[in-house]
Amino acid sequence: MPALLSLLHDPKYRLAFRSIALVLFAGVVIAGSIPGARAEVGLYVTGLVLHGLTYAFLAILWFLGSSGNTAARALKAVLAIALMGALDELVQSFLPYRSGDIRDWMIDVTAATIASLLLAACLPKAAAVPQQ
């Protein structure tokens, strides 16, 4: 476990975490732009769950890829997800078979806030565990 915690705090992995988040976000936007894809996914999972889990995961990656104390990292993650979610909804608003929805964006930001606050609360305690 200490090895995993040191990996999560290693500055050389920050760019990798942010890059993975951006690639996955691009995949979300592209997949969401495919006609009928969202309707098919909707058979298995609601928009609330889909947005919540997706953007919480992206927030975790962005948090781990950020520098600073835990509060600064949480704020950076929430702001990044707010921008990503807004961009996603903006793209959807231009598609004739989709529509941008402020409620989806609010779910994105809420999920990012919860995930970031949980990480900010847990990581300092976990990092304080003595290495053996």
Side-chain angles (χ1 to χ4, degrees):
M1 184 69 150
L4 176 62
L5 291 176
S6 65
L7 172 77
L8 295 179
H9 292 290
D10 193 337
K12 67 182 175 185
Y13 294 110
R14 288 186 185 141
L15 179 61
F17 283 124
R18 289 192 314 268
S19 298
I20 292 168
L22 289 172
V23 167
L24 291 176
F25 172 69
V28 166
V29 172
I30 291 167
S33 299
I34 298 171
R38 176 60 185 102
E40 288 182 27
V41 172
L43 297 173
Y44 303 103
V45 64
T46 67
L48 175 72
V49 172
L50 185 64
H51 275 266
L53 292 177
T54 300
Y55 284 92
F57 184 69
L58 291 173
I60 290 167
L61 289 172
W62 205 268
F63 181 99
L64 295 174
S66 298
S67 60
N69 61 31
T70 54
R73 295 168 81 182
L75 181 61
K76 290 174 187 179
V78 171
L79 290 175
I81 296 307
L83 288 172
M84 288 181 197
L87 180 62
D88 185 19
E89 296 306 316
L90 179 67
V91 168
Q92 289 177 22
S93 71
F94 287 108
L95 301 173
Y97 47 88
R98 297 292 309 265
S99 63
D101 191 345
I102 188 98
R103 291 172 294 188
D104 286 345
W105 178 79
M106 291 170 59
I107 293 167
D108 303 342
V109 173
T110 302
T113 302
I114 292 169
S116 297
L117 288 175
L118 287 173
L119 277 174
C122 294
L123 276 185
K125 294 174 187 167
V129 175
Q131 295 185 3
Q132 298 174 357

